[in-house]
Amino acid sequence: MSKRNINKTAERAARAAALKAEQERQEKRRRLLLIGAVVAGLVFVVGAGFLVQNLRNSTGEAATPPAGVVDDYGIVVGDAAAPTTVTIYEDFQCPVCADFEEEIGEELNAGIEAGTVKVDYRIVSFLDRASKNEYSSRAMNAAAVVLDTAGVDAFKSFHDELFANQPVEGTDGPDDEELIAAATAAGADESKVRSAIEDKVFAQWIENATEQMSVDKVNGTPTVFIDGELAGSTPQEYADAIRAALG
């Protein structure tokens, strides 16, 4: 094959790869828009049911938050002096949250690294029913244990890992041993997290944090605020607002 033909073949391959990447990006955007439309339509019904169930289950007991938590329930990642605060409500079992993290996570992490934004994660748990082993609350407890024992950087690493490997709804999520292994990989000390993960030591705090979500008039996940203002009504609108904030 001549050099000219080789170059043409390489150019065609490069164009095909670029086209495929763009198609995948557009498909992801279309999926987020579709999911957002469905969420927007269902949010009132789901949110009302969620609120009623929370008020029914809540014991009202006080709970000590993990070390490093701000305002009882916030986990702030990034420079405290960053000019913009992005607040994100998420559930580790929420598939829309996983799609949202995939869509905007890398850009948000770059903004954190650059000091452009700080992120106030408000993790909640109301999707245990979507798992065969109460993964939502167990994952949240494990994340709280990592934060409590290893700090915010380890929490962020653990947070990103859980969303990148979210179990399919209706299946068994990672068991305690797998959560402990992931916590250790994120930078936590196994001897400090094992019993706390196995015993679900932050169970009451998880319940209270989830109830606080309804008190904050947040009816679904993900929900995003930028500097205290609701950033839209769909995951795609949230992602676009974050990109605008990142400049």
Side-chain angles (χ1 to χ4, degrees):
M1 181 180 292
S2 70
K3 184 176 181 180
R4 182 178 180 183
N5 286 339
I6 290 173
N7 288 339
K8 286 185 176 180
T9 300
E11 288 173 1
R12 284 197 296 269
R15 286 197 299 270
L19 178 60
K20 181 180 180 182
E22 177 61 18
Q23 289 173 336
E24 290 176 349
R25 190 186 71 80
Q26 292 294 339
E27 174 59 23
K28 184 188 296 183
R29 181 180 177 86
R30 186 197 65 78
R31 186 171 67 250
L32 281 172
L33 286 170
L34 178 60
I35 290 171
V38 173
V39 170
L42 293 178
V43 70
F44 177 77
V45 174
V46 173
F50 160 64
L51 175 60
V52 170
Q53 187 64 32
N54 264 333
L55 292 177
R56 182 181 298 123
N57 289 343
S58 176
T59 63
E61 295 178 11
T64 301
V69 167
V70 176
D71 297 331
D72 293 327
Y73 304 110
I75 303 170
V76 178
V77 179
D79 188 342
T84 300
T85 301
V86 177
T87 302
I88 307 176
Y89 288 80
E90 295 179 312
D91 186 311
F92 283 120
Q93 183 62 76
C94 166
V96 188
C97 296
D99 284 343
F100 174 73
E101 284 288 338
E102 183 181 3
E103 169 78 6
I104 197 66
E106 289 187 8
E107 294 169 73
L108 198 51
N109 288 345
I112 292 170
E113 185 68 22
T116 306
V117 300
K118 58 181 176 290
V119 181
D120 180 3
Y121 289 102
R122 300 280 169 152
I123 308 300
V124 298
S125 170
F126 60 93
L127 288 173
D128 273 349
R129 63 183 182 276
S131 166
K132 290 184 178 180
N133 62 355
E134 298 184 341
Y135 176 71
S136 171
S137 61
R138 289 173 49 253
M140 183 175 173
N141 177 75
V145 171
V146 170
L147 175 68
D148 188 66
T149 62
V152 70
D153 289 343
F155 161 83
K156 184 60 167 66
S157 178
F158 187 72
H159 164 278
D160 291 355
E161 177 69 15
L162 292 193
F163 275 119
N165 295 281
Q166 185 185 77
V168 175
E169 288 182 295
T171 67
D172 287 327
D175 60 22
D176 286 347
E177 285 298 327
E178 291 172 298
L179 289 174
I180 291 167
T184 302
D189 185 331
E190 180 181 345
S191 66
K192 294 181 179 179
V193 302
R194 174 171 290 280
S195 62
I197 289 176
E198 292 176 339
D199 297 341
K200 205 173 182 180
V201 296
F202 288 109
Q204 184 61 52
W205 178 77
I206 291 168
E207 185 175 327
N208 294 354
T210 305
E211 181 180 349
Q212 184 63 41
M213 176 181 168
S214 62
V215 173
D216 294 340
K217 295 181 172 56
V218 174
N219 295 318
T221 57
T223 295
V224 175
F225 294 82
I226 297 180
D227 291 334
E229 297 293 328
L230 186 63
S233 60
T234 70
Q236 191 60 58
E237 289 177 358
Y238 298 146
D240 291 344
I242 289 172
R243 289 191 177 103
L246 291 172

